[in-house]
Amino acid sequence: IYTQYELCCMLDNVYRNDIERGFSMKCVEMNKIFGLLAATALGILLTSTPVLSAEFSADMVFQPKGEDSMIVKVYVKGNKMRQEATEEGERQIVIIRADKKISWMIDPEEKKYIEMPYEEEGNLFEEWTQEKQKNAKFIADDQAAGLASKKYEVTEDGQKVTVWISTKYSFPIKVEDPEAIVEYKNIKDGPVDDALFELPAGYEKIV
């Protein structure tokens, strides 16, 4: 789990050339938000066995402390993920294809997209493993997003982070650190259309 500062630095390196590549500043900022969500993210566990069979949609609520919340629609099918958000009337989409080791950041208004490598070793999708559970402090049986969960506290680089592990889905459905809270709500089990995880036809690739 990264601190928000570390994530911002990492994402700045990824997106610093996006404007020159044809994306607006607003789109760049939206993509940074998506990256923060993915990285903070309740660790969607795309690489873990229990989630490979998962198929659902949900609302991911990102609540920076002291600021307005943001709702991102999330679709998951095995190791594929799609995030959609609207900010100031502009819709942005991120599709993560761990199976192909790529991610697409899509601007529907401009009909453009950026293709980026999906780097599993970058820990953008933190797996909740038995080893992590052994090193975590169990707090209590609890509820998150209306689901029975186990609440744990972990410490990363001196920073305490609280995670809620759903007993139904076997992945974190809520994470709280000193900067923000991220939580899945309105989780609906599949099926999810395969087309949601493909690039729209006719969109220009920005290189």
Side-chain angles (χ1 to χ4, degrees):
I1 300 171
Y2 296 98
T3 66
Q4 197 167 29
Y5 173 76
E6 289 170 329
L7 291 173
C8 285
C9 291
M10 182 168 60
L11 292 165
D12 278 341
N13 288 333
V14 172
Y15 302 123
R16 60 190 174 186
N17 295 323
D18 280 4
I19 296 174
E20 288 80 1
R21 295 159 79 187
F23 275 58
S24 67
M25 177 63 78
K26 186 175 291 184
C27 180
V28 172
E29 292 303 316
M30 285 288 289
N31 286 340
K32 286 183 182 179
I33 291 171
F34 275 127
L36 283 167
L37 288 168
T40 303
L42 316 174
I44 192 68
L45 311 187
L46 296 181
T47 61
S48 68
T49 301
V51 179
L52 286 176
S53 61
E55 190 169 356
F56 64 90
S57 62
D59 295 325
M60 183 190 287
V61 182
F62 180 58
Q63 177 65 71
K65 294 182 178 177
E67 300 180 25
D68 293 336
S69 63
M70 178 180 183
I71 298 176
V72 177
K73 190 69 178 180
V74 177
Y75 301 89
V76 174
K77 188 168 188 173
N79 56 3
K80 305 172 188 177
M81 182 177 182
R82 178 186 177 105
Q83 300 172 328
E84 298 181 2
T86 301
E87 181 75 4
E88 297 182 9
E90 289 197 8
R91 182 166 166 255
Q92 301 297 334
I93 299 168
V94 171
I95 297 174
I96 298 167
R97 293 292 302 266
D99 59 328
K100 294 185 175 183
K101 306 298 183 186
I102 57 175
S103 300
W104 298 307
M105 297 183 179
I106 302 168
D107 187 332
E109 184 176 342
E110 297 186 12
K111 293 191 174 182
K112 296 179 180 180
Y113 71 94
I114 294 172
E115 183 173 295
M116 297 175 55
Y118 169 80
E119 298 182 1
E120 191 172 301
E121 65 273 16
N123 291 322
L124 288 181
F125 299 94
E126 195 81 29
E127 182 178 358
W128 183 259
T129 62
Q130 289 296 319
E131 184 66 25
K132 290 181 184 295
Q133 184 165 312
K134 283 198 305 183
N135 294 327
K137 178 183 177 182
F138 176 72
I139 303 298
D141 291 317
D142 203 357
Q143 293 275 321
L147 298 172
S149 306
K150 294 186 180 296
K151 182 178 178 181
Y152 295 91
E153 183 181 275
V154 298
T155 302
E156 294 281 345
D157 299 324
Q159 176 177 273
K160 290 183 178 180
V161 179
T162 305
V163 298
W164 284 256
I165 309 300
S166 166
T167 56
K168 178 178 180 181
Y169 292 103
S170 301
F171 65 89
I173 56 172
K174 182 177 179 180
V175 170
E176 180 175 1
D177 68 14
E179 287 86 22
I181 300 172
V182 185
E183 182 175 7
Y184 284 135
K185 293 186 176 181
N186 304 319
I187 301 174
K188 296 180 181 179
D189 293 323
V192 179
D193 189 349
D194 286 327
L196 289 172
F197 307 102
E198 300 294 341
L199 282 170
Y203 277 46
E204 176 187 357
K205 182 178 180 180
I206 303 301
V207 295

